[in-house]
Amino acid sequence: MRCSLKRSLTVLLAVSFLLLLLLHGSSRQEQDPLEVQLRGLAPDTILQLLQPEGAQHILRDTAELSALHNISYQLLAGSPAPRKKFLTVGMASVQRPRGFYLLATLQSLFSQSTEEEQQEMVVVVHLADTDPGWNVRVAATIAQKFARHILLGRLLLIHAPPEFYPTLEGLKRNFNDAEERVRFRSKQNVDYAFLLAFAANLSSYYLMIEDDVWSARSFLTSIRRALASQEGSNWATLEFSKLGYIGKLYRSSDLPRLAHFLLLFYQEMPCDWLLVHFRQLLTQKDVIRFKPSLFQHMGLYSSFQGTVNRLKDEDFQADALDLPDNPPASLYTSMSIFENYDPLKAYGLAQGYFWGKDPAAGSTFTVVFQQPARVSRVRVRTGSVERPGDFLRAGLLELGQRRDRSRDCSSYIPVGSFEKGTLEQQGLERVLPGPVECVRIRVTQDQSEWLIIQSIDIWTTAGT
């Protein structure tokens, strides 16, 4: 009894000391004093210090927390904040045969966010490996490195015990997948279902990522902007990356349905396919993907059998705050449009591009502003990874003024030429003083290949 009391007092004093370090230490220091104090301690001790009730603390009363009321989670580190946040970032992680990227992923999430953004965010990691020893060791490593975020309620580490999982043996081998592959992807569906259920009441929105990604700077602020652009629409999923489960945003109110959906069809197909079906069932027919992408895949080795995975998102941009203004405009082209690849898709932030047939010398693509604007910078990208040959061989960027009664401007001046299908010009407010009414791309040489305009980005300055 005396020994137990002594141990409890030791833990209490240690936690109090950590809290003092948290209150008086600076989050901008090169090395977190909490990390220094925890270095060299045993994994169980670290988790006990940061979760006084112990690493095996069981959340049995989940009626107010989880969407699946029959699940008892192990809370390995951290505790839910008393108020809902704006955004939960969730990921599931298991032991990989090769490579370990989880710490780098967490470091990127926090380091790429301002203090104000971190206050509106909580990161939840579901350590879902079948080896409990691995889960505890990784939780302790994370707790040591990110102690400050755990104590501030910005990072939670959870585990759903294996007894709550459905059977992973004798599953249907759809798509002729190997039995081991079916077992892996089926368990992954359940991993995500339990994670979604846990996160359902933590915030207003939920962002799904994988445990091997880089984050763009101030991704949360960029997500806020994207949400503002979709205000009033009945979207089910917004996408901030074109890859897998990375950068998929949901309303938290939809998470209980999504969790049950993944559990219901866990053995049928991979998770990313189920996510597409879920979006379509919620009557969102088309993908709504924003560019530039806010997350980039960093891992080289897959979590399944350690196979090499070199997937990259070519639309990723590290500085998410460097977003164009793209003032409201109408778009016109003299080129024939292929199918539904209309001009607007090159100008908006959502997914898509313009695809024109038979561009010839003199062909034009014109952006006509609804209101005149002072243009400071323009960036145009043509071609695509899928169709690398469909880029602009030769062309000019022109700024127009004195819009007449037609849908075009009567006077243009050239401000830049394309090189290898791309163009970026800055300082344009000094080239053409006064408001601009039209921005035009003019083809200057016949080409046999069609033309893809991937994106047109326009920045403006204040004033008239």
Side-chain angles (χ1 to χ4, degrees):
M1 179 70 177
R2 186 177 302 164
C3 182
S4 175
L5 179 60
K6 182 179 179 181
R7 187 182 302 113
S8 298
L9 287 172
T10 301
V11 170
L12 181 61
L13 289 171
V15 172
S16 301
F17 180 64
L18 291 176
L19 288 171
L20 284 173
L21 284 174
L22 175 64
L23 291 172
H24 297 288
S26 170
S27 63
R28 302 297 182 190
Q29 294 182 26
E30 292 184 4
Q31 194 164 31
D32 196 321
L34 294 179
E35 182 179 346
V36 174
Q37 291 297 321
L38 294 170
R39 186 176 299 155
L41 298 179
D44 288 340
T45 304
I46 293 173
L47 294 177
Q48 189 177 24
L49 288 173
L50 294 178
Q51 178 60 265
E53 294 158 301
Q56 301 303 314
H57 176 58
I58 306 295
L59 291 178
R60 297 193 184 279
D61 184 11
T62 58
E64 297 300 321
L65 181 66
S66 170
L68 301 174
H69 301 325
N70 59 337
I71 301 297
S72 296
Y73 295 85
Q74 292 180 355
L75 188 58
L76 300 179
S79 57
R83 68 173 183 89
K84 277 191 175 184
K85 300 292 187 77
F86 167 73
L87 181 69
T88 298
V89 181
M91 71 196 83
S93 186
V94 297
Q95 190 170 184
R96 295 170 183 257
R98 291 192 291 177
F100 180 66
Y101 311 102
L102 179 55
L103 295 180
T105 298
L106 292 172
Q107 180 63 38
S108 181
L109 286 170
F110 290 117
S111 65
Q112 294 289 73
S113 302
T114 65
E115 178 66 22
E116 292 75 17
E117 289 168 337
Q118 290 180 27
Q119 290 174 8
E120 293 300 315
M121 177 177 73
V122 59
V123 179
V124 180
V125 182
H126 180 197
L127 295 173
D129 201 77
T130 54
D131 177 5
W134 183 88
N135 293 327
V136 170
R137 289 192 301 274
V138 171
T141 301
I142 295 172
Q144 178 181 335
K145 187 170 181 61
F146 300 96
R148 178 176 180 272
H149 297 294
I150 288 174
L151 290 172
L152 288 173
R154 299 174 184 175
L155 176 59
L156 303 176
L157 308 180
I158 67 169
H159 175 69
E163 58 263 28
F164 295 104
Y165 278 68
T167 181
L168 297 173
E169 303 296 333
L171 303 177
K172 292 190 294 183
R173 292 180 55 190
N174 295 340
F175 317 109
N176 202 32
D177 283 347
E179 184 176 345
E180 188 174 358
R181 173 70 181 175
V182 172
R183 185 185 305 111
F184 174 85
R185 62 171 168 79
S186 298
K187 179 184 179 297
Q188 190 176 54
N189 284 332
V190 183
D191 294 342
Y192 278 118
F194 289 161
L195 172 61
L196 294 167
F198 180 88
N201 293 301
L202 297 179
S203 60
S204 299
Y205 299 95
Y206 176 88
L207 180 74
M208 176 182 286
I209 66 171
E210 297 184 29
D211 66 346
D212 57 351
V213 301
W214 297 111
S215 304
R217 184 167 71 94
S218 289
F219 63 89
L220 185 143
T221 297
S222 296
I223 289 173
R224 278 191 185 276
R225 292 177 179 175
L227 284 167
S229 74
Q230 296 296 311
E231 187 175 357
S233 67
N234 293 318
W235 60 269
T237 309
L238 300 182
E239 303 189 9
F240 297 91
S241 170
K242 66 191 299 183
L243 302 178
Y245 327 118
I246 300 174
K248 305 301 183 278
L249 186 77
Y250 300 92
R251 292 183 175 91
S252 292
S253 57
D254 286 334
L255 295 186
R257 282 187 291 182
L258 180 53
H260 282 96
F261 183 77
L262 294 180
L263 285 176
L264 186 60
F265 299 104
Y266 78 101
Q267 65 174 309
E268 302 298 335
M269 62 188 68
C271 185
D272 50 342
W273 295 10
L274 288 173
L275 296 180
V276 172
H277 285 292
F278 181 78
R279 166 176 60 77
Q280 293 171 339
L281 286 169
L282 268 60
T283 69
Q284 181 188 323
K285 179 182 178 182
D286 298 322
V287 172
I288 304 175
R289 182 167 69 85
F290 291 85
K291 295 183 294 185
S293 296
L294 301 180
F295 304 94
Q296 178 65 285
H297 181 253
M298 75 161 84
L300 178 60
Y301 301 109
S302 167
S303 54
F304 176 65
Q305 296 185 337
T307 54
V308 174
N309 181 359
R310 302 183 186 275
L311 282 176
K312 295 295 179 185
D313 188 336
E314 66 272 13
D315 294 328
F316 173 73
Q317 186 171 307
D319 188 353
L321 289 182
D322 187 27
L323 293 175
D325 300 301
N326 283 20
S330 299
L331 289 90
Y332 307 98
T333 182
S334 63
M335 290 173 275
S336 299
I337 301 170
F338 177 63
E339 294 185 351
N340 63 341
Y341 294 88
D342 57 83
L344 187 60
K345 292 186 176 178
Y347 190 66
L349 291 178
Q351 181 185 27
Y353 52 79
F354 164 76
W355 203 354
K357 298 188 288 185
D358 303 322
S363 296
T364 59
F365 184 106
T366 308
V367 180
V368 180
F369 296 144
Q370 293 180 8
Q371 297 293 331
R374 287 178 57 87
V375 174
S376 60
R377 174 183 171 194
V378 177
R379 180 177 62 205
V380 182
R381 297 188 179 110
T382 69
S384 72
V385 173
E386 297 81 7
R387 299 276 183 173
D390 290 0
F391 68 91
L392 182 57
R393 293 329 195 252
L396 293 174
L397 179 75
E398 301 171 322
L399 300 183
Q401 293 179 314
R402 292 191 295 276
R403 180 180 172 190
D404 53 30
R405 291 188 177 184
S406 70
R407 62 189 188 186
D408 202 356
C409 288
S410 60
S411 174
Y412 282 95
I413 65 166
V415 294
S417 58
F418 283 79
E419 295 184 9
K420 297 181 180 179
T422 63
L423 175 146
E424 182 163 3
Q425 292 291 121
Q426 301 190 46
L428 294 176
E429 73 278 13
R430 298 188 296 272
V431 175
L432 185 63
V436 170
E437 297 181 74
C438 305
V439 176
R440 186 170 74 179
I441 298 167
R442 181 163 57 88
V443 181
T444 57
Q445 176 182 309
D446 293 349
Q447 63 181 64
S448 57
E449 295 83 2
W450 292 4
L451 174 60
I452 288 175
I453 300 180
Q454 186 74 232
S455 61
I456 300 174
D457 301 325
I458 298 175
W459 286 260
T460 61
T461 60
T464 56

